[in-house]
Amino acid sequence: MVSIQGRKKKSVQQWKYMSDNMSDTEEKKVPTRASAMERVQLGLAKRRRKEERFRKLSFSAVILSLSFLVLLFASIISNGWPAFQRTDILLDIHFDSEVLDVDSLVKANYGKLVKQSMRELLPDVTSRHNKREMYRLVSSGASYELQKMVVADPTLIGKTVSLWLPADDLPDMLMKGKINRNLPETERPISDKQIQWIDQLIAQGRLEQHFNTTFFQAGDSREPELAGIRGALTGSMLTLFVTLLLSFPVAVAAAVYLEEFAPKNRWTDLVEVNINNLAAVPSIVFGLLGLAVFLNFFGMPRSSPLVGGVVLSLMTLPTIIIASRASLKAVPPSIREAALGVGASKMQTVFHHVIPLAMPGMMTGTIIGLSQALGETAPLLMIGMVAFIVDIPGSMTDPSTVLPVQIFLWADSPERAFVERTSAAILVLLMFLISMNGLAIYLRRKFEQRW
Amino acid sequence: MNLMNEKGVKGKKMKKTLLIAACMLLASDVWASGRDYVSIVGSSTVYPFATTVAERFGKTSSFKTPKIESTGSGGGMKLFCAGTAIDTPDITNASRRIKKSEYDSCMKNGVKEIVEVKVGYDGIVLANSKKAPRFKLSKKDIYLALARTVPDPKGSKTFVDNPYTTWKEVNASLPDTKIEVMGPPPTSGTRDAFDELAMQGGCKTFPWVKAMKKTDKEQFKAVCQALREDGPYIEAGENDNLIIQKLEANPDSLGIFGFSYLDQNADKIQGSIVDGVEPSFDKISDGSYSISRSLYMYVKKSHVGVVPGLEEYLAEFTSDRAWGEEGYLAEKGLIPMPEEERTQVGKAVNELIPLQM
């Protein structure tokens, strides 16, 4: 206390002293002014330096975040790129009528055909152990492909055809340089003999990398070389379709009511606050809600895009409502007044004038909400969409999974070849997202009105 | 005017909600009527094996590919025991045996007949980077390094907070590095098994603690299975690939995971020798590697014959080309049971003998 009072006294004294000085002669004033200017000059340089520092700092923040982005993309692309190539093996398959002589073409032993042609390809392999190692070079998917071919075209039986069939993931990884062949034999998953055979096959031109069409045509698989993204992509599209169908009309209707019709009272305030709160609720909560209401109460099918879409639309509703309300607010009142002035009803005003002008903003909000929904896994965990699903979903009620879940499942697989599939799936997800955001920008540019 | 319009919009919204609700109710009758694919839930440890069988089954038969959710052993049991309705799962996989409490809850909900199928073994390994020397551990070392409380090192028969910070302090023959072990969280079946087999196993090497098992079982379990929370044990989530990456980056640390991950990453990491036995396919199979557990699958008998493909899926799983010594599951890292045990379990599956507890 004492010290504060003391300081106060001192400053008052100083002030008196200064004002005494000021009221003195002109001569004394000039140097004071000059020194003030000097001080400003001095301060100016300091302020400039400060500004310069701040500019550099904020610029480096931008550079830093950009470089993180570049790093992320570079690592994903460099990891994921090889997944678009797959190693195939050229085999001369003889569709032996004896092997295929069973009552059902589906159940015939197609693996035997593959093994036969492998034996012909590498005739000097004789011992049982070595043969097993040799068979491992071909993917188990080869026999499924033969099965599909024969079922589609039974006239193949008895013919010999040269076919490119999928190789196992180990030769694939070796050809892509993911397995270090200089390591001692016990430390790599592929044996010396297998490497020798692979080199032999490469020299014969029977082992080549081709564009991986399977990745875009197949559903999930346990074998990395047979795994594809199409099931998850279809699932994501179906789910988002349900989300869009449900959330857009409901959200727009809610926003229009709240913004244009609702009276301002405690109830609408409460609704507003709750909508804002809902937008911040963690997504897993919506999953629990979905489990309790849609699965247990309504008995909707587990793991289906229908339930996924409904849950995600609950999650995106607040986002779209908030965005829609903001864009409705941005429509100038003069538009409404003009419409009402020429005799339009309130509803006509809203539907003929306000909504069309607010639509670009609403659509942008919707697409942002949907892109958020596209990346969700947590709520889907609760309703059983984190699952292994091979068949590509054909309808809203088929079991299916979505892109981010597929990424999660592959990232957790022990097989090393799934690393590149994971990155490739991330690339597909990013492409999906970028195109959705691109659409949002396009729509905004196209319909946007400036006042 | 204004009021009318408000009513109009409200009415429209009401109609819409009513319509949606009506659709849902209507549809719920439609979709509850049947299911043409097998629905499986359960352990993430059995997941790679179950999915392999499911995929082969789907591709080589005329049935649809079964749907498999990875929910964890406990979560799977909960779903499985929820009832006998057609929308409940047909099979749940588990990396441990069904608990009495779970069995009782099954019974209570009308799931009276459960068929237990033992599918094989899985080893739990402690591994480190190949850049560092291989660890030679005993279960006692593991227990002393990781337990929350350990028997007093001075010799009195009391428990003290774990004082060890380096491996050398635990056992003079071990390297002088900080104890740092990454492993699964408590929700994981792998963790359950690790706590029971490795920790409790190491705990029992103290005779006076072992004696406690008979007098005070609760206390025994509490002190033997609790892992320390002061840093050396790091819960690294359920993603085993992540643990392997971290092991590579930090050669001084150890990781705990299933044998199949060691198998697939043998060029990067090495399994520690436990009680003188190296974790390998053969050693786990013949039972000499001690931290190994059985994997199970539980089948709802009332769904057999109702859900198409269920019996056939079981037949595929228990066929020699799947779970046999040279079957395709062995290639995925499942450690097969000896032949007699396989025939025995296979027979029980064929006759669908329900489990009694």
Side-chain angles (χ1 to χ4, degrees), chain A residues 89-280:
Chain A
I89 184 166
L90 184 67
L91 290 181
D92 302 322
I93 300 286
H94 174 56
F95 289 97
D96 199 334
S97 51
E98 267 173 44
V99 177
L100 299 176
D101 187 24
V102 281
D103 35 332
S104 154
L105 281 178
V106 176
K107 284 189 183 141
N109 189 355
Y110 293 93
K112 202 166 174 184
L113 299 180
V114 176
K115 284 175 183 171
Q116 225 165 7
S117 72
M118 282 298 282
R119 278 201 298 274
E120 282 161 22
L121 209 56
L122 301 164
D124 39 338
V125 181
T126 45
S127 83
R128 190 158 176 268
H129 175 74
N130 284 353
K131 271 186 193 164
R132 272 177 61 81
E133 289 218 329
M134 174 181 75
Y135 298 149
R136 275 198 199 156
L137 295 180
V138 187
S139 164
S140 58
S143 52
Y144 308 142
E145 254 175 51
L146 297 183
Q147 174 197 346
K148 245 187 262 168
M149 281 175 70
V150 174
V151 171
D153 180 14
T155 58
L156 277 173
I157 296 170
K159 289 181 193 160
T160 303
V161 190
S162 288
L163 290 170
W164 283 103
L165 292 168
D168 194 57
D169 54 327
L170 290 180
D172 190 42
M173 301 279 281
L174 187 79
M175 277 187 82
K176 285 172 181 167
K178 294 280 169 72
I179 295 174
N180 185 356
R181 61 165 78 202
N182 298 324
L183 284 173
E185 191 175 7
T186 49
E187 293 186 10
R188 52 177 144 77
I190 197 163
S191 70
D192 284 343
K193 279 198 210 87
Q194 281 174 320
I195 291 185
Q196 186 201 324
W197 294 326
I198 289 168
D199 288 340
Q200 199 179 329
L201 287 173
I202 293 173
Q204 288 174 8
R206 280 182 176 272
L207 209 56
E208 276 179 16
Q209 293 199 32
H210 294 145
F211 181 69
N212 188 356
T213 47
T214 311
F215 187 71
F216 295 99
Q217 286 173 352
D220 198 2
S221 168
R222 220 39 250 173
E223 311 297 329
E225 69 274 11
L226 303 178
I229 197 74
R230 191 162 152 212
L233 198 62
T234 318
S236 264
M237 283 179 180
L238 286 172
T239 310
L240 280 190
F241 183 66
V242 175
T243 310
L244 176 70
L245 223 58
L246 270 174
S247 62
F248 183 63
V250 175
V252 168
V256 166
Y257 177 75
L258 286 174
E259 207 50 50
E260 303 289 330
F261 294 100
K264 284 267 170 271
N265 58 24
R266 273 192 191 182
W267 283 112
T268 45
D269 282 350
L270 191 74
V271 169
E272 197 173 333
V273 168
N274 274 316
I275 287 173
N276 291 337
N277 278 343
L278 268 184

